[in-house]
Amino acid sequence: MHIYKVGGAVRDRLLGRPVSDIDWLVVGATVEQMQALGYRPVGADFPVFIHPRSGEEYALARTERKSGRGYGGFTFHASPDVTLEEDLIRRDLTINAMAEDDDGTLYDPYHGKEDLERRLLRHVSPAFAEDPLRVLRVARFAARYAPLGFKVADETLALMRQISASGELQALTAERSWKEIERALMEPQPQVFFEVLRACDALQALLPELEDSPHALAGLEQAAQHDQPLHVRWACLLRELQPATIKAVSQRFKAPRDCQELAILVGECLSQCNQALELPSTALLELLQKFDVYRRPQRFDDFISACEMDARARQGSLAYPQADYLRGAAAAARAVDVKPLVQAGLTGQALGESLKGERLKALTAYKSAAEG
Ligand code: CTP
């Protein structure tokens, strides 16, 4: 039995990037031998084991990664006579198809190191097409390594186009697609993910709504440059769509609740944020009430950030005084103390109305102070 380090760990070490988790490949072993050594199988049909102490994944060398039944919807053929080269040729990219043994010897039958040096994302073989999710993976790697100058190889882009045309992208589960989208959104240049998807016609298949959204990517780029969290990035991406479409897209990918919620609110209220300085205090109060800023101040802050990223994307690096103004307004409304009203004996609806009245007064005072 031979054990190799494979995939991302080898790639990122050669790139001089931090290695987060290590995947191991086991050649020449049977399921029974692995179990006898104490490795725990991750599932009945899938030849992957967890090391009893390190918790790292050890996969038996295998061929065939076609969609079907089994772990994550795949079928595999694993056997002790599958060689290292046979396993590696079925992987997605040459830069992900390198292996390293104990003493640091590199096995690179498909020239991944050369492609790393040439900054090329190139598929290993026609087996790439066995898993349509790889179209999204390549786009995600392009977004991650864009700052290093990586590009998708022409022949790989052509193959990705064929996969888009085959209709198989629509058959990907929401969970698998979202996992890639989520990771791509958090990369340093997430707009590249969508540019690559567009270039291979996958955007049309997966997120056709974005085709008529000319500012989406610039807003997302700003959000990434300002280290915004996932839900703000998602909101920036979808902000030109109608709220009902934002909801439908978010639900189609089963995006987490906070992503969906913020994106819809941005779709609904972005123009109010842009016009914040001109809003009468009643409209300011309505906006704050809509966001329930008293109980959920962070969500309002994230809304302002998303609107600011969008404005910066459209007007260059001009200042966006609306952001501080709205944060100040939220603070003024939140500073209204409910205690004196309760002590005055108010309850229920009367208390609610009074509180609203006090907040309106606070906002009117804030507004006139801001106007100087
Ligand atoms: N792999 C593949 N096709 C897929 C998923 C994975 O060929 N659809 C192979 C690649 O060789 C990859 C390895 O399995 O390098 C490990 O996959 P994964 O852990 O998902 O990705 P990493 O390459 O480690 O990348 P990341 O840094 O994004 O985790």
Side-chain angles (χ1 to χ4, degrees):
M1 154 184 340
H2 273 92
I3 298 184
Y4 304 89
K5 201 181 276 179
V6 280
V10 180
R11 174 197 71 219
D12 284 334
R13 187 188 63 74
L14 288 172
L15 277 176
R17 287 172 53 103
V19 170
S20 48
D21 50 19
I22 303 182
D23 291 311
W24 301 91
L25 176 69
V26 185
V27 175
T30 61
V31 169
E32 293 71 27
Q33 276 172 303
M34 295 299 283
Q35 282 178 313
L37 288 169
Y39 290 85
R40 284 182 286 112
V42 300
D45 311 334
F46 191 69
V48 173
F49 298 82
I50 303 295
H51 190 280
R53 282 184 307 281
S54 72
E56 287 169 347
E57 276 196 7
Y58 285 69
L60 295 186
R62 58 190 187 242
T63 59
E64 295 249 45
R65 288 163 197 259
K66 273 197 198 308
S67 297
R69 286 178 304 110
Y71 183 84
F74 284 87
T75 52
F76 297 98
H77 167 72
S79 123
D81 45 58
V82 175
T83 64
L84 179 63
E85 288 74 12
E86 283 169 340
D87 179 281
L88 295 179
I89 202 170
R90 295 199 167 264
R91 290 175 181 258
D92 53 3
L93 296 172
T94 59
I95 63 166
N96 289 340
M98 295 182 277
E100 206 176 82
D101 69 12
D102 265 2
D103 60 18
T105 307
L106 185 71
Y107 296 86
D108 182 19
Y110 308 109
H111 311 292
K113 191 158 181 264
E114 210 174 295
D115 283 342
L116 274 185
E117 279 150 17
R118 295 167 66 196
R119 304 305 202 219
L120 268 186
L121 302 171
R122 188 206 306 273
H123 66 287
V124 185
S125 77
F128 179 91
E130 285 178 2
D131 180 6
L133 188 76
R134 288 170 169 174
V135 171
L136 281 79
R137 279 176 61 89
V138 173
R140 172 166 66 79
F141 285 119
R144 181 191 294 176
Y145 298 129
L148 300 178
F150 275 80
K151 294 271 176 299
V152 181
D154 291 342
E155 62 271 33
T156 302
L157 205 59
L159 182 54
M160 289 159 70
R161 254 185 222 121
Q162 281 177 27
I163 298 173
S164 302
S166 73
E168 283 181 81
L169 293 174
Q170 284 92 334
L172 288 170
T173 62
E175 288 79 4
R176 291 189 85 209
S177 301
W178 176 255
K179 221 164 151 191
E180 291 300 324
I181 293 171
E182 179 180 30
R183 293 185 73 187
L185 285 170
M186 294 313 292
E187 294 295 356
Q189 294 194 19
Q191 74 282 5
V192 172
F193 174 76
F194 297 97
E195 284 161 5
V196 169
L197 291 184
R198 179 175 285 146
C200 70
D201 308 327
L203 196 63
Q204 185 57 41
L206 289 165
L207 245 163
E209 296 85 352
L210 280 189
E211 296 281 15
D212 317 313
S213 195
H215 302 105
L217 299 193
L220 175 61
E221 185 176 357
Q222 279 294 321
Q225 279 171 11
H226 289 83
D227 269 335
Q228 294 292 336
L230 177 69
H231 52 297
V232 173
R233 296 183 189 207
W234 182 241
C236 287
L237 180 73
L238 302 185
R239 78 103 185 136
E240 279 173 311
L241 309 179
Q242 291 301 317
T245 313
I246 296 174
K247 186 170 180 186
V249 170
S250 300
Q251 290 182 346
R252 193 164 77 231
F253 291 111
K254 300 190 183 164
R257 193 159 189 81
D258 61 338
C259 288
Q260 175 174 322
E261 198 179 79
L262 185 68
I264 294 173
L265 283 166
V266 170
E268 285 172 349
C269 304
L270 181 110
S271 59
Q272 275 137 288
C273 190
N274 287 339
Q275 292 155 15
L277 304 185
E278 292 84 50
L279 289 182
S281 36
T282 44
L284 266 180
L285 180 66
E286 244 172 72
L287 186 65
L288 298 177
Q289 303 277 104
K290 182 176 170 86
F291 276 83
D292 192 9
V293 77
Y294 318 103
R295 276 184 298 183
R296 302 193 54 188
Q298 184 60 47
R299 184 175 63 170
F300 189 60
D301 211 54
D302 292 338
F303 160 72
I304 297 171
S305 298
C307 298
E308 183 173 6
M309 296 304 115
D310 177 67
R312 281 176 188 271
R314 280 176 302 116
Q315 354 157 343
S317 61
L318 291 182
Y320 190 68
Q322 291 90 329
D324 277 347
Y325 181 77
L326 278 181
R327 288 192 178 106
R334 295 183 73 228
V336 171
D337 193 359
V338 69
K339 253 189 255 145
L341 303 176
V342 174
Q343 279 161 1
L346 291 169
T347 55
Q349 204 179 342
L351 176 64
E353 288 304 316
S354 279
L355 194 53
K356 221 168 142 184
E358 292 303 315
R359 284 170 178 157
L360 187 58
K361 273 192 226 155
L363 286 172
T364 307
Y366 172 76
K367 192 171 161 56
S368 49
E371 283 163 1

